[in-house]
Amino acid sequence: MKRAGYASTIADFLLEREEAILGRLVEGSSFDVELTQRDAWKTQIEILKSVLMPFRAKGSVYFEFAIPRLGKRIDVVAILDSVIFVLEFKVGERNFPLHAFDQVHDYGLDLKNFHETSHYCFIAPILIATEARRSPANQIAASHEDRLLQPLASTVGDLPDLIRTVLEFADAPAIDVPSWEAGRYCPTPTIIEAAIALYGEHGVAEISRSDAGAINLTETSDTISEIIRTSKANSRKSICFVTGVPGAGKTLVGLNIATQHRDKTSKFHCVFLSGNGPLVAVLREALARDKVRREAERNKKYQKGVARSEVKAIIQNVHHFRDECLIDSGPPVDHVALFDEAQRAWNLDQTVKFMKQKKRRPDFRYSEPEFLISCMDRHKDWAVIVCLVGGGQEINTGEAGIGEWIDSLLRSFRNWDLYISSRLTDAEYGAGKVIEQVKALPNVNVREQLHLSVSMRSFRSESVSLLVKQLLDLDQKEAVKTLQKVAGHFPIVLTRDLTRAKQWLRTKARGSERYGILVSSQAQRLKPHAIDVRSPMNPVNWFLDEKDDVRSSYYLEDVATEFHVQGLELDWACVTWDADFRYSGDTWEHWSFVGSRWNRIRKQERQTYLKNAYRVLLTRARQGMVIVVPEGDLDDPTRDPSYYDSTFDYLREIGLNVI
């Protein structure tokens, strides 16, 4: 993939005419180039022709270097000797905005983490304010000992000396430029970043890893696309189940299919449906904000309301889709419906209860899966349902698991073609017994490509979800072994001090890497630590707002529960563990705080929900996490230290470092 709008050796760049360079940049642009952009490029070219003259024999230069994971481009990447310089120009700016430091730092982090031939190189992010008269004091240092320098700032006049100082600091062999250029870009975006990139018409191949050990996301997407094409060509109705470990990219696959076919005038039009209200709200707002931002960069005004309306066409709350089908008995406009977290659809009792109480439909007799299939079955020609299924993630009353989808097919829709992942029979999906019955039917197809086996959430370590499973299953011996594999790449630390945990998060996060506090929705006795799970928080603000907004996760004031974060993720997480889920010798105890005391949870279903809540919380971090187990208080019978000590000891014995 061509990654830069213009690339050249520095020697050739210095000899090439300015007009020719501008022409190549305009030709390589994917959008109409406004006069302001041409002027900015012209200024950058003039500056660099002067600044890079002393380094003409030492490397290469790249303008408009693509970062698809972030949906952005780096102004200039320059390779000089042993250093990759990431240059962000603020043309006409006299000051150095704080947000711009995060921006250039993010670019450096992206190269360090996701560009394979940049992993071990010195990377120097530099912010240049072209009209500034004085450079701020710079400290040339790498805070994480990984050769990524803290972001630097410079005036135009000071830039040559700053480059020389960095080159003197970097003690490493010169970078082999052809080998560097041949390096693969293997990103693992957050779901928010991925949605933005896909909506901006980047392909899934640009924003996903290509590890040999994982079934490629592209392969899974292609398999679903082929099922859609075959169903349409043969006038068939098909349902397929995509499985995957937490963070494997199931939602990413669904968004990829939905954004590929978002033309409402086409019979291929898809809709991405989720019962996860926070996920839908966050993704919609992120896409709308990004649309407005991208248009503003092209000097075009675009109303956020219009952008939100466009996004709603492809990302919808499944309950709104269901309600529309209750009103209109005709087939929905969409021939393809993608149900995210399909295991969380409501069972018969929960659906009937809701319809009777909220919709005044006392005669309603369908589970949510059966009704949703019936809606798509209204099409006379063809239809496709894609169920994206997570294992062990049912966290709320009435969530049916995947078995109800299969039961619905057996009862009422035997004519549908069924495509299943080979792993749908695994215990965590809760459908094994039913699947065995289904396999005997002639219209069942088993596809290996419909299972995503490797977590993409944590690019630091792919064993985190396995470690969490072993920890929660009390497989202590195996958890110790897995932690030893994880620890070198994915730091997990343990503490009893929330203030210390907050400090750890702030020192670990760089650029705009997002961090926040996560707690169980049953964590009722963390109030002495200024954590109130009943205090309302807005997930849109929490996940999308910047560091200067008190509502954002960065402030470490509002906390998110499993209901807010399922399907989303953070770079660094603080999981604060209350006495609702306690280790007791050789088992977990499940408790609910009601009134003024803890009550034992004895119902198996609710015990499973609580365990799964902690599974969700412990698998949200991409780069590392700190677990806080409070000490309790002898003077507070609801926070007796014994409620917490055994859990802390269990986690420490597994090998978590205590801070």
Side-chain angles (χ1 to χ4, degrees), residues 10-205:
I10 292 175
D12 288 345
F13 165 74
L14 294 173
L15 293 174
E16 193 166 358
R17 291 169 50 248
E18 178 185 295
E19 292 77 10
I21 298 171
L22 274 173
R24 288 172 62 181
L25 283 167
V26 171
E27 184 180 355
S29 177
S30 59
F31 53 86
D32 294 336
V33 178
E34 302 289 338
L35 184 60
T36 51
Q37 179 62 74
R38 288 178 62 96
D39 289 344
W41 283 336
K42 184 177 179 181
T43 301
Q44 293 168 22
I45 293 166
E46 291 172 351
I47 291 170
L48 289 178
K49 277 184 173 286
S50 172
V51 167
L52 295 178
M53 182 64 73
F55 310 100
R56 56 186 174 275
K58 294 189 175 183
S60 295
V61 63
Y62 310 83
F63 283 73
E64 296 295 305
F65 191 89
I67 302 289
R69 183 183 75 92
L70 300 176
K72 297 180 180 178
R73 290 177 175 269
I74 303 173
D75 284 344
V76 177
V77 172
I79 297 181
L80 304 178
D81 278 351
S82 59
V83 179
I84 301 168
F85 289 90
V86 177
L87 307 178
E88 177 64 23
F89 289 86
K90 296 303 177 186
V91 176
E93 182 66 65
R94 296 183 179 182
N95 301 307
F96 298 91
L98 290 177
H99 70 85
F101 281 103
D102 281 347
Q103 180 184 2
V104 72
H105 208 173
D106 286 345
Y107 292 158
L109 284 163
D110 196 274
L111 289 175
K112 173 61 66 176
N113 291 328
F114 305 123
H115 186 239
E116 63 180 1
T117 47
S118 298
H119 287 336
Y120 306 107
C121 296
F122 278 98
I123 300 177
I126 302 180
L127 178 64
I128 303 137
T130 63
E131 299 300 320
R133 296 183 179 181
R134 292 185 59 185
S135 298
N138 286 308
Q139 181 181 5
I140 299 177
S143 63
H144 286 51
E145 300 181 354
D146 60 0
R147 296 187 170 184
L148 172 62
L149 303 185
Q150 295 278 38
L152 307 167
S154 179
T155 65
V156 172
D158 291 340
L159 188 55
D161 287 340
L162 180 58
I163 289 174
R164 289 190 188 93
T165 304
V166 171
L167 290 173
E168 291 171 2
F169 174 85
D171 181 17
I175 295 169
D176 182 280
V177 172
S179 297
W180 182 85
E181 290 180 345
R184 296 177 305 164
Y185 179 66
C186 304
T188 56
T190 67
I191 193 59
I192 295 171
E193 292 167 345
I196 288 172
L198 291 171
Y199 196 63
E201 299 184 353
H202 288 282
V204 71

Side-chain angles (χ1 to χ4, degrees), residues 168-425:
E168 291 171 2
F169 174 85
D171 181 17
I175 295 169
D176 182 280
V177 172
S179 297
W180 182 85
E181 290 180 345
R184 296 177 305 164
Y185 179 66
C186 304
T188 56
T190 67
I191 193 59
I192 295 171
E193 292 167 345
I196 288 172
L198 291 171
Y199 196 63
E201 299 184 353
H202 288 282
V204 71
E206 295 179 70
I207 59 169
S208 61
R209 289 162 38 178
S210 51
D211 302 51
I215 294 178
N216 195 279
L217 286 170
T218 305
E219 188 177 352
T220 304
S221 294
D222 289 346
T223 299
I224 296 170
S225 293
E226 180 57 32
I227 291 170
I228 293 172
R229 286 192 293 270
T230 300
S231 299
K232 181 177 184 294
N234 298 320
S235 294
R236 299 292 300 171
K237 292 171 182 174
S238 304
I239 184 168
C240 58
F241 293 89
V242 178
T243 56
V245 299
K250 299 178 293 295
T251 301
L252 176 55
V253 167
L255 289 170
N256 184 47
I257 297 296
T259 52
Q260 280 180 349
H261 308 292
R262 63 190 194 207
D263 180 5
K264 271 209 164 187
T265 64
S266 167
K267 274 200 169 186
F268 276 113
H269 182 259
C270 298
V271 61
F272 178 88
L273 300 166
S274 175
N276 185 335
L279 176 69
V280 171
V282 169
L283 290 182
R284 279 180 172 177
E285 182 65 16
L287 296 185
R289 290 185 186 185
D290 185 69
K291 176 71 172 178
V292 172
R293 177 192 64 79
R294 285 189 285 117
E295 294 300 324
E297 289 176 353
R298 301 175 189 179
N299 291 318
K300 296 180 180 179
K301 290 186 177 179
Y302 206 85
Q303 292 184 346
K304 189 181 286 187
V306 175
R308 286 171 174 157
S309 179
E310 291 178 356
V311 172
K312 285 181 180 179
I314 62 167
I315 299 178
Q316 297 180 24
N317 189 300
V318 66
H319 299 137
H320 298 165
F321 177 87
R322 175 204 63 202
D323 292 348
E324 181 61 29
C325 290
L326 282 171
I327 297 169
D328 186 346
S329 60
V333 66
D334 319 285
H335 275 253
V336 181
L338 302 118
F339 293 99
D340 194 31
E341 298 177 7
Q343 77 282 351
R344 297 188 64 189
W346 288 347
N347 59 26
L348 177 63
D349 290 344
Q350 183 72 11
T351 310
V352 168
K353 179 181 178 181
F354 174 84
M355 288 295 179
K356 182 178 180 179
Q357 294 179 348
K358 303 294 185 180
K359 298 297 178 181
R360 297 180 181 179
R361 297 287 295 267
D363 57 339
F364 197 87
R365 289 294 178 266
Y366 299 103
S367 67
E368 194 167 41
E370 187 167 0
F371 181 68
L372 293 171
I373 297 172
S374 75
C375 296
M376 297 301 291
D377 195 55
R378 296 173 188 175
H379 285 288
K380 299 298 182 184
D381 45 6
W382 69 281
V384 175
I385 292 174
V386 180
C387 292
L388 307 169
V389 185
Q393 295 188 57
E394 298 82 16
I395 59 175
N396 206 359
T397 302
E399 293 179 358
I402 203 60
E404 178 55 32
W405 288 89
I406 306 300
D407 280 338
S408 297
L409 291 171
L410 287 169
R411 283 194 304 268
S412 309
F413 305 103
R414 288 176 172 264
N415 60 314
W416 279 57
D417 295 332
L418 177 61
Y419 296 84
I420 64 172
S421 154
S422 58
R423 299 291 294 275
L424 197 63
T425 56

